[in-house]
Amino acid sequence: AVRVTALADVSLSIGAGELVVLMGPSGSGKSTLLGLLAGMDQPDTGAVSWQGRPLTEIAEAELATLRATQFGVIFQGFGLFPSLSALENVILPLLMAGVRPSEASDTATEWLDRFGLGGRLEHRLNELSAGQQQRVAVARGIANGQSVVFADEPTAELDERSGAVVLEALHEVALRGGAVLIATHDPWVLQRADRAIIMRDGRVEAEGRPDQVIGNVTTD
């Protein structure tokens, strides 16, 4: 078997109130890094810590609670439940986080309406376009006021107008003191970033203010 090293010598910290953009060619390790930071995967070496605690030392039950209440994860493949409506897909994680049903419904409705899906609340996935599904996934990832949001290509399927609305919502997470890490191929997302990290072949190639590293951005 051939051993593939997806990430090597990557050291990263994200502070409260910070929006960080992760860029680089396809296969550079962006999605792998997001999965590790969100606790979806475990590194072979090294450690991922949340508020100074290694995730490997947190019991699975507590980690599940963290994912429901503190971590917002927006998957590139959306990760929605096809048997549920758009509204139910956003309500479910709110209920799992202990939000009252009536409040969960109101919150989910408000976010979906903000993302232009007020007329699609009861539609299931096969009745929604890829761009509409993406907006549902973003709403689900931030509706509970999560402390940290990991977003994998959150604007990939969106037109410029819808993408701007989604990016503004993610920016608001940072403005209220949350932390946001966005993996993207879209250079215009840098306009909202406090810091940019450029990856290539599983390593950090450049890091700093967006205007400092923009010359290193490649999206091939």
Side-chain angles (χ1 to χ4, degrees), residues 57-131:
E57 295 180 8
I58 300 176
E60 181 57 40
E62 184 181 353
L63 193 56
T65 299
L66 279 176
R67 292 194 193 103
T69 59
Q70 302 293 326
F71 297 172
V73 183
I74 301 168
F75 298 98
Q76 188 172 358
F78 312 139
L80 302 172
F81 295 101
S83 61
L84 302 181
S85 67
L87 183 62
E88 290 167 339
N89 265 286
V90 182
I91 287 176
L92 181 59
L94 290 169
L95 296 177
M96 294 174 62
V99 178
R100 295 194 309 272
S102 60
E103 182 181 345
S105 180
D106 290 345
T107 298
T109 299
E110 289 172 7
W111 277 106
L112 291 172
D113 186 59
R114 175 174 176 175
F115 288 161
L117 297 171
R120 299 285 189 272
L121 300 181
E122 302 304 327
H123 286 57
R124 285 175 167 73
L125 298 195
N126 63 350
E127 301 171 309
L128 299 174
S129 68

Side-chain angles (χ1 to χ4, degrees), residues 131-146:
Q132 290 168 338
Q133 291 181 45
Q134 186 156 50
R135 281 175 278 167
V136 174
V138 174
R140 182 186 60 179
I142 64 179
N144 196 35
Q146 283 87 343

Side-chain angles (χ1 to χ4, degrees), residues 3 19 34 36 42-44 46 54 56 59 65 68-69 82 92 116 131 136 163 172 174 185 187 195 197 219:
R3 181 178 177 84
L19 191 151
L34 286 183
L36 291 170
Q42 292 186 6
D44 294 323
T56 53
T65 299
T69 59
L92 181 59
V136 174
E172 287 176 8
H185 280 93
R195 179 160 49 110
I197 298 171
T219 57

Side-chain angles (χ1 to χ4, degrees), residues 37-59:
L37 294 176
M40 313 298 289
D41 300 301
Q42 292 186 6
D44 294 323
T45 59
V48 176
S49 297
W50 162 251
Q51 295 183 339
R53 299 176 62 196
L55 295 186
T56 53
E57 295 180 8
I58 300 176

